[in-house]
Amino acid sequence: MSIIHFDEEKVVVRKWASSSTSGPRGKSIVRVELETRDPYALASILRQLEEIDTDQRRAAAQAKASAKKQPARPLMLPYHGDDL
């Protein structure tokens, strides 16, 4: 789980919105607009977002690599005894 920390005195949530798509593969998107006049607060938020993005990309790449390394599953052929 990822958390973004910021000083509420230096950073203000300007607005936020969400949207969703329906269906079995529906997704939800949350947009948050933050406002700050402090360049250090901005840099901190951007650094945290970059770390989250890097961690998520690394995890996705590892999952994809481990999926490729798994051996093929055996065929599920029926056995009818020695009738042949």
Side-chain angles (χ1 to χ4, degrees):
M1 179 163 88
S2 301
I3 298 174
I4 300 172
H5 296 278
F6 57 86
D7 186 353
E8 293 177 10
E9 294 176 1
K10 296 179 181 178
V11 179
V12 178
V13 176
R14 190 168 180 191
K15 65 180 176 179
W16 58 273
S18 66
S19 61
S20 300
T21 57
S22 61
R25 294 183 158 227
K27 295 181 181 181
S28 297
I29 297 173
V30 177
R31 288 181 173 81
V32 179
E33 231 178 86
L34 303 174
E35 181 179 324
T36 184
R37 294 180 186 262
D38 184 0
Y40 294 107
L42 174 63
S44 174
I45 292 168
L46 293 175
R47 184 175 52 251
Q48 291 175 66
L49 290 170
E50 191 273 330
E51 288 174 3
I52 292 168
D53 183 50
T54 301
D55 292 343
Q56 289 177 347
R57 289 176 190 267
R58 184 180 306 122
Q62 288 175 350
K64 188 175 181 180
S66 67
K68 287 182 180 180
K69 291 180 183 178
Q70 294 178 355
R73 294 181 4 186
L75 297 176
M76 301 296 284
L77 301 175
Y79 177 72
H80 297 291
D82 295 329
D83 295 340
L84 301 175

PDB file of all heavy atoms in Angstrom, residues 1 8 10 12-14 17 20-21 24 34 36 42 44-45 49-51 53-55 65-66 68 76 80:
ATOM      1  N   MET A   1       0.845  -1.164   0.000  1.00  0.00           N
ATOM      2  CA  MET A   1       0.000   0.000   0.000  1.00  0.00           C
ATOM      3  C   MET A   1       0.892   1.229   0.000  1.00  0.00           C
ATOM      4  O   MET A   1       1.910   1.275   0.665  1.00  0.00           O
ATOM      5  CB  MET A   1      -0.908   0.003   1.230  1.00  0.00           C
ATOM      6  CG  MET A   1      -1.784   1.212   1.282  1.00  0.00           C
ATOM      7  SD  MET A   1      -3.181   1.063   2.379  1.00  0.00           S
ATOM      8  CE  MET A   1      -2.484   1.611   3.900  1.00  0.00           C
ATOM      9  N   GLU A   8      -0.318  19.871   5.523  1.00  0.00           N
ATOM     10  CA  GLU A   8      -1.601  20.504   5.202  1.00  0.00           C
ATOM     11  C   GLU A   8      -1.537  22.027   5.250  1.00  0.00           C
ATOM     12  O   GLU A   8      -2.390  22.699   4.691  1.00  0.00           O
ATOM     13  CB  GLU A   8      -2.687  19.994   6.141  1.00  0.00           C
ATOM     14  CG  GLU A   8      -2.997  18.529   5.939  1.00  0.00           C
ATOM     15  CD  GLU A   8      -4.035  18.010   6.920  1.00  0.00           C
ATOM     16  OE1 GLU A   8      -4.646  18.827   7.639  1.00  0.00           O
ATOM     17  OE2 GLU A   8      -4.234  16.788   6.950  1.00  0.00           O
ATOM     18  N   LYS A  10       1.007  23.672   3.955  1.00  0.00           N
ATOM     19  CA  LYS A  10       1.719  24.102   2.746  1.00  0.00           C
ATOM     20  C   LYS A  10       1.064  23.604   1.462  1.00  0.00           C
ATOM     21  O   LYS A  10       1.301  24.159   0.399  1.00  0.00           O
ATOM     22  CB  LYS A  10       3.160  23.628   2.794  1.00  0.00           C
ATOM     23  CG  LYS A  10       3.944  24.245   3.936  1.00  0.00           C
ATOM     24  CD  LYS A  10       5.356  23.736   3.955  1.00  0.00           C
ATOM     25  CE  LYS A  10       6.118  24.354   5.125  1.00  0.00           C
ATOM     26  NZ  LYS A  10       7.478  23.857   5.214  1.00  0.00           N
ATOM     27  N   VAL A  12      -2.649  22.329  -0.325  1.00  0.00           N
ATOM     28  CA  VAL A  12      -4.105  22.367  -0.197  1.00  0.00           C
ATOM     29  C   VAL A  12      -4.705  21.494  -1.298  1.00  0.00           C
ATOM     30  O   VAL A  12      -4.275  21.549  -2.450  1.00  0.00           O
ATOM     31  CB  VAL A  12      -4.625  23.816  -0.342  1.00  0.00           C
ATOM     32  CG1 VAL A  12      -6.136  23.859  -0.269  1.00  0.00           C
ATOM     33  CG2 VAL A  12      -4.002  24.710   0.698  1.00  0.00           C
ATOM     34  N   VAL A  13      -5.703  20.699  -0.927  1.00  0.00           N
ATOM     35  CA  VAL A  13      -6.442  19.928  -1.927  1.00  0.00           C
ATOM     36  C   VAL A  13      -7.383  20.913  -2.607  1.00  0.00           C
ATOM     37  O   VAL A  13      -8.298  21.443  -1.990  1.00  0.00           O
ATOM     38  CB  VAL A  13      -7.236  18.769  -1.290  1.00  0.00           C
ATOM     39  CG1 VAL A  13      -8.058  18.055  -2.349  1.00  0.00           C
ATOM     40  CG2 VAL A  13      -6.297  17.809  -0.592  1.00  0.00           C
ATOM     41  N   ARG A  14      -7.106  21.174  -3.878  1.00  0.00           N
ATOM     42  CA  ARG A  14      -7.893  22.160  -4.613  1.00  0.00           C
ATOM     43  C   ARG A  14      -9.217  21.566  -5.073  1.00  0.00           C
ATOM     44  O   ARG A  14     -10.269  22.144  -4.873  1.00  0.00           O
ATOM     45  CB  ARG A  14      -7.084  22.655  -5.790  1.00  0.00           C
ATOM     46  CG  ARG A  14      -7.656  23.822  -6.482  1.00  0.00           C
ATOM     47  CD  ARG A  14      -6.655  24.401  -7.420  1.00  0.00           C
ATOM     48  NE  ARG A  14      -7.242  25.541  -8.096  1.00  0.00           N
ATOM     49  CZ  ARG A  14      -6.700  26.122  -9.115  1.00  0.00           C
ATOM     50  NH1 ARG A  14      -5.548  25.690  -9.575  1.00  0.00           N
ATOM     51  NH2 ARG A  14      -7.278  27.140  -9.681  1.00  0.00           N
ATOM     52  N   ALA A  17     -11.976  14.467  -8.175  1.00  0.00           N
ATOM     53  CA  ALA A  17     -13.105  13.883  -8.900  1.00  0.00           C
ATOM     54  C   ALA A  17     -12.798  12.419  -9.155  1.00  0.00           C
ATOM     55  O   ALA A  17     -11.641  11.992  -9.127  1.00  0.00           O
ATOM     56  CB  ALA A  17     -13.334  14.613 -10.219  1.00  0.00           C
ATOM     57  N   SER A  20     -15.787   6.144 -13.225  1.00  0.00           N
ATOM     58  CA  SER A  20     -15.736   4.680 -13.272  1.00  0.00           C
ATOM     59  C   SER A  20     -16.297   4.196 -14.590  1.00  0.00           C
ATOM     60  O   SER A  20     -17.157   4.838 -15.193  1.00  0.00           O
ATOM     61  CB  SER A  20     -16.545   4.066 -12.139  1.00  0.00           C
ATOM     62  OG  SER A  20     -16.043   4.465 -10.897  1.00  0.00           O
ATOM     63  N   THR A  21     -15.794   3.040 -15.016  1.00  0.00           N
ATOM     64  CA  THR A  21     -16.362   2.363 -16.175  1.00  0.00           C
ATOM     65  C   THR A  21     -17.034   1.102 -15.673  1.00  0.00           C
ATOM     66  O   THR A  21     -16.608   0.508 -14.692  1.00  0.00           O
ATOM     67  CB  THR A  21     -15.285   2.009 -17.216  1.00  0.00           C
ATOM     68  OG1 THR A  21     -14.293   1.198 -16.599  1.00  0.00           O
ATOM     69  CG2 THR A  21     -14.628   3.259 -17.764  1.00  0.00           C
ATOM     70  N   PRO A  24     -17.295  -6.121 -16.550  1.00  0.00           N
ATOM     71  CA  PRO A  24     -16.495  -7.037 -15.743  1.00  0.00           C
ATOM     72  C   PRO A  24     -15.060  -6.554 -15.523  1.00  0.00           C
ATOM     73  O   PRO A  24     -14.411  -6.923 -14.568  1.00  0.00           O
ATOM     74  CB  PRO A  24     -16.522  -8.346 -16.531  1.00  0.00           C
ATOM     75  CG  PRO A  24     -16.851  -7.939 -17.922  1.00  0.00           C
ATOM     76  CD  PRO A  24     -17.695  -6.701 -17.826  1.00  0.00           C
ATOM     77  N   LEU A  34      -3.708  19.279  -6.323  1.00  0.00           N
ATOM     78  CA  LEU A  34      -3.091  19.856  -5.129  1.00  0.00           C
ATOM     79  C   LEU A  34      -2.481  21.199  -5.488  1.00  0.00           C
ATOM     80  O   LEU A  34      -1.948  21.377  -6.582  1.00  0.00           O
ATOM     81  CB  LEU A  34      -2.004  18.925  -4.590  1.00  0.00           C
ATOM     82  CG  LEU A  34      -2.437  17.505  -4.246  1.00  0.00           C
ATOM     83  CD1 LEU A  34      -1.232  16.669  -3.868  1.00  0.00           C
ATOM     84  CD2 LEU A  34      -3.457  17.511  -3.134  1.00  0.00           C
ATOM     85  N   THR A  36       0.189  24.293  -4.095  1.00  0.00           N
ATOM     86  CA  THR A  36       1.211  24.693  -3.133  1.00  0.00           C
ATOM     87  C   THR A  36       2.029  25.848  -3.697  1.00  0.00           C
ATOM     88  O   THR A  36       2.170  25.987  -4.915  1.00  0.00           O
ATOM     89  CB  THR A  36       2.131  23.521  -2.752  1.00  0.00           C
ATOM     90  OG1 THR A  36       3.037  23.964  -1.735  1.00  0.00           O
ATOM     91  CG2 THR A  36       2.932  23.017  -3.932  1.00  0.00           C
ATOM     92  N   LEU A  42       6.293  20.697  -3.184  1.00  0.00           N
ATOM     93  CA  LEU A  42       6.053  20.175  -4.531  1.00  0.00           C
ATOM     94  C   LEU A  42       7.044  19.077  -4.865  1.00  0.00           C
ATOM     95  O   LEU A  42       6.669  18.003  -5.347  1.00  0.00           O
ATOM     96  CB  LEU A  42       6.148  21.303  -5.561  1.00  0.00           C
ATOM     97  CG  LEU A  42       6.072  20.888  -7.021  1.00  0.00           C
ATOM     98  CD1 LEU A  42       4.727  20.256  -7.323  1.00  0.00           C
ATOM     99  CD2 LEU A  42       6.336  22.068  -7.932  1.00  0.00           C
ATOM    100  N   SER A  44       8.676  17.164  -2.835  1.00  0.00           N
ATOM    101  CA  SER A  44       8.412  15.997  -1.998  1.00  0.00           C
ATOM    102  C   SER A  44       7.261  15.164  -2.563  1.00  0.00           C
ATOM    103  O   SER A  44       7.356  13.935  -2.646  1.00  0.00           O
ATOM    104  CB  SER A  44       8.086  16.443  -0.572  1.00  0.00           C
ATOM    105  OG  SER A  44       7.700  15.344   0.209  1.00  0.00           O
ATOM    106  N   ILE A  45       6.188  15.824  -2.969  1.00  0.00           N
ATOM    107  CA  ILE A  45       5.043  15.104  -3.533  1.00  0.00           C
ATOM    108  C   ILE A  45       5.440  14.408  -4.827  1.00  0.00           C
ATOM    109  O   ILE A  45       5.114  13.240  -5.045  1.00  0.00           O
ATOM    110  CB  ILE A  45       3.859  16.066  -3.752  1.00  0.00           C
ATOM    111  CG1 ILE A  45       3.311  16.533  -2.404  1.00  0.00           C
ATOM    112  CG2 ILE A  45       2.768  15.412  -4.591  1.00  0.00           C
ATOM    113  CD1 ILE A  45       2.340  17.683  -2.503  1.00  0.00           C
ATOM    114  N   LEU A  49       5.400  10.360  -5.637  1.00  0.00           N
ATOM    115  CA  LEU A  49       4.672   9.793  -6.769  1.00  0.00           C
ATOM    116  C   LEU A  49       5.597   8.998  -7.684  1.00  0.00           C
ATOM    117  O   LEU A  49       5.226   7.937  -8.181  1.00  0.00           O
ATOM    118  CB  LEU A  49       3.970  10.904  -7.556  1.00  0.00           C
ATOM    119  CG  LEU A  49       2.795  11.574  -6.852  1.00  0.00           C
ATOM    120  CD1 LEU A  49       2.331  12.809  -7.620  1.00  0.00           C
ATOM    121  CD2 LEU A  49       1.649  10.591  -6.669  1.00  0.00           C
ATOM    122  N   GLU A  50       6.805   9.490  -7.875  1.00  0.00           N
ATOM    123  CA  GLU A  50       7.776   8.780  -8.715  1.00  0.00           C
ATOM    124  C   GLU A  50       8.159   7.451  -8.079  1.00  0.00           C
ATOM    125  O   GLU A  50       8.285   6.433  -8.764  1.00  0.00           O
ATOM    126  CB  GLU A  50       9.010   9.661  -8.937  1.00  0.00           C
ATOM    127  CG  GLU A  50       9.959   9.154  -9.994  1.00  0.00           C
ATOM    128  CD  GLU A  50      10.976   8.168  -9.454  1.00  0.00           C
ATOM    129  OE1 GLU A  50      11.341   8.268  -8.271  1.00  0.00           O
ATOM    130  OE2 GLU A  50      11.408   7.294 -10.222  1.00  0.00           O
ATOM    131  N   GLU A  51       8.332   7.417  -6.770  1.00  0.00           N
ATOM    132  CA  GLU A  51       8.667   6.177  -6.067  1.00  0.00           C
ATOM    133  C   GLU A  51       7.529   5.161  -6.180  1.00  0.00           C
ATOM    134  O   GLU A  51       7.769   3.971  -6.407  1.00  0.00           O
ATOM    135  CB  GLU A  51       8.968   6.451  -4.594  1.00  0.00           C
ATOM    136  CG  GLU A  51      10.285   7.159  -4.365  1.00  0.00           C
ATOM    137  CD  GLU A  51      10.496   7.548  -2.906  1.00  0.00           C
ATOM    138  OE1 GLU A  51       9.639   7.208  -2.052  1.00  0.00           O
ATOM    139  OE2 GLU A  51      11.511   8.204  -2.626  1.00  0.00           O
ATOM    140  N   ASP A  53       5.283   5.017  -8.598  1.00  0.00           N
ATOM    141  CA  ASP A  53       5.267   4.576  -9.996  1.00  0.00           C
ATOM    142  C   ASP A  53       6.363   3.548 -10.250  1.00  0.00           C
ATOM    143  O   ASP A  53       6.122   2.508 -10.871  1.00  0.00           O
ATOM    144  CB  ASP A  53       5.428   5.782 -10.915  1.00  0.00           C
ATOM    145  CG  ASP A  53       5.340   5.420 -12.381  1.00  0.00           C
ATOM    146  OD1 ASP A  53       4.382   4.728 -12.766  1.00  0.00           O
ATOM    147  OD2 ASP A  53       6.236   5.828 -13.150  1.00  0.00           O
ATOM    148  N   THR A  54       7.558   3.808  -9.752  1.00  0.00           N
ATOM    149  CA  THR A  54       8.675   2.878  -9.930  1.00  0.00           C
ATOM    150  C   THR A  54       8.382   1.533  -9.278  1.00  0.00           C
ATOM    151  O   THR A  54       8.621   0.481  -9.877  1.00  0.00           O
ATOM    152  CB  THR A  54       9.973   3.480  -9.338  1.00  0.00           C
ATOM    153  OG1 THR A  54      10.240   4.719  -9.997  1.00  0.00           O
ATOM    154  CG2 THR A  54      11.145   2.548  -9.503  1.00  0.00           C
ATOM    155  N   ASP A  55       7.861   1.554  -8.056  1.00  0.00           N
ATOM    156  CA  ASP A  55       7.539   0.308  -7.356  1.00  0.00           C
ATOM    157  C   ASP A  55       6.473  -0.496  -8.095  1.00  0.00           C
ATOM    158  O   ASP A  55       6.580  -1.720  -8.219  1.00  0.00           O
ATOM    159  CB  ASP A  55       7.062   0.591  -5.926  1.00  0.00           C
ATOM    160  CG  ASP A  55       8.167   1.136  -5.034  1.00  0.00           C
ATOM    161  OD1 ASP A  55       9.358   1.005  -5.401  1.00  0.00           O
ATOM    162  OD2 ASP A  55       7.831   1.688  -3.965  1.00  0.00           O
ATOM    163  N   ALA A  65       7.630 -11.551 -15.554  1.00  0.00           N
ATOM    164  CA  ALA A  65       8.780 -12.443 -15.699  1.00  0.00           C
ATOM    165  C   ALA A  65       8.525 -13.788 -15.025  1.00  0.00           C
ATOM    166  O   ALA A  65       8.884 -14.835 -15.572  1.00  0.00           O
ATOM    167  CB  ALA A  65      10.026 -11.793 -15.112  1.00  0.00           C
ATOM    168  N   SER A  66       7.897 -13.792 -13.870  1.00  0.00           N
ATOM    169  CA  SER A  66       7.640 -15.059 -13.182  1.00  0.00           C
ATOM    170  C   SER A  66       6.572 -15.861 -13.916  1.00  0.00           C
ATOM    171  O   SER A  66       6.586 -17.088 -13.886  1.00  0.00           O
ATOM    172  CB  SER A  66       7.237 -14.826 -11.734  1.00  0.00           C
ATOM    173  OG  SER A  66       5.982 -14.192 -11.664  1.00  0.00           O
ATOM    174  N   LYS A  68       6.283 -16.002 -17.120  1.00  0.00           N
ATOM    175  CA  LYS A  68       6.964 -16.610 -18.263  1.00  0.00           C
ATOM    176  C   LYS A  68       7.813 -17.808 -17.844  1.00  0.00           C
ATOM    177  O   LYS A  68       8.012 -18.722 -18.620  1.00  0.00           O
ATOM    178  CB  LYS A  68       7.864 -15.585 -18.945  1.00  0.00           C
ATOM    179  CG  LYS A  68       7.120 -14.550 -19.734  1.00  0.00           C
ATOM    180  CD  LYS A  68       8.076 -13.610 -20.416  1.00  0.00           C
ATOM    181  CE  LYS A  68       7.342 -12.552 -21.209  1.00  0.00           C
ATOM    182  NZ  LYS A  68       8.281 -11.633 -21.865  1.00  0.00           N
ATOM    183  N   MET A  76      -4.633 -32.223 -20.099  1.00  0.00           N
ATOM    184  CA  MET A  76      -5.658 -32.939 -19.347  1.00  0.00           C
ATOM    185  C   MET A  76      -6.373 -33.902 -20.303  1.00  0.00           C
ATOM    186  O   MET A  76      -7.511 -33.684 -20.703  1.00  0.00           O
ATOM    187  CB  MET A  76      -6.649 -31.954 -18.718  1.00  0.00           C
ATOM    188  CG  MET A  76      -5.993 -30.956 -17.771  1.00  0.00           C
ATOM    189  SD  MET A  76      -5.250 -31.720 -16.341  1.00  0.00           S
ATOM    190  CE  MET A  76      -6.672 -32.078 -15.390  1.00  0.00           C
ATOM    191  N   HIS A  80      -8.921 -43.917 -20.842  1.00  0.00           N
ATOM    192  CA  HIS A  80     -10.023 -44.887 -20.968  1.00  0.00           C
ATOM    193  C   HIS A  80      -9.539 -46.324 -20.719  1.00  0.00           C
ATOM    194  O   HIS A  80     -10.134 -47.258 -21.221  1.00  0.00           O
ATOM    195  CB  HIS A  80     -10.654 -44.787 -22.357  1.00  0.00           C
ATOM    196  CG  HIS A  80     -11.292 -43.456 -22.621  1.00  0.00           C
ATOM    197  ND1 HIS A  80     -12.431 -43.031 -21.965  1.00  0.00           N
ATOM    198  CD2 HIS A  80     -10.939 -42.429 -23.435  1.00  0.00           C
ATOM    199  CE1 HIS A  80     -12.776 -41.831 -22.390  1.00  0.00           C
ATOM    200  NE2 HIS A  80     -11.868 -41.452 -23.279  1.00  0.00           N
TER     201      HIS A  80
END
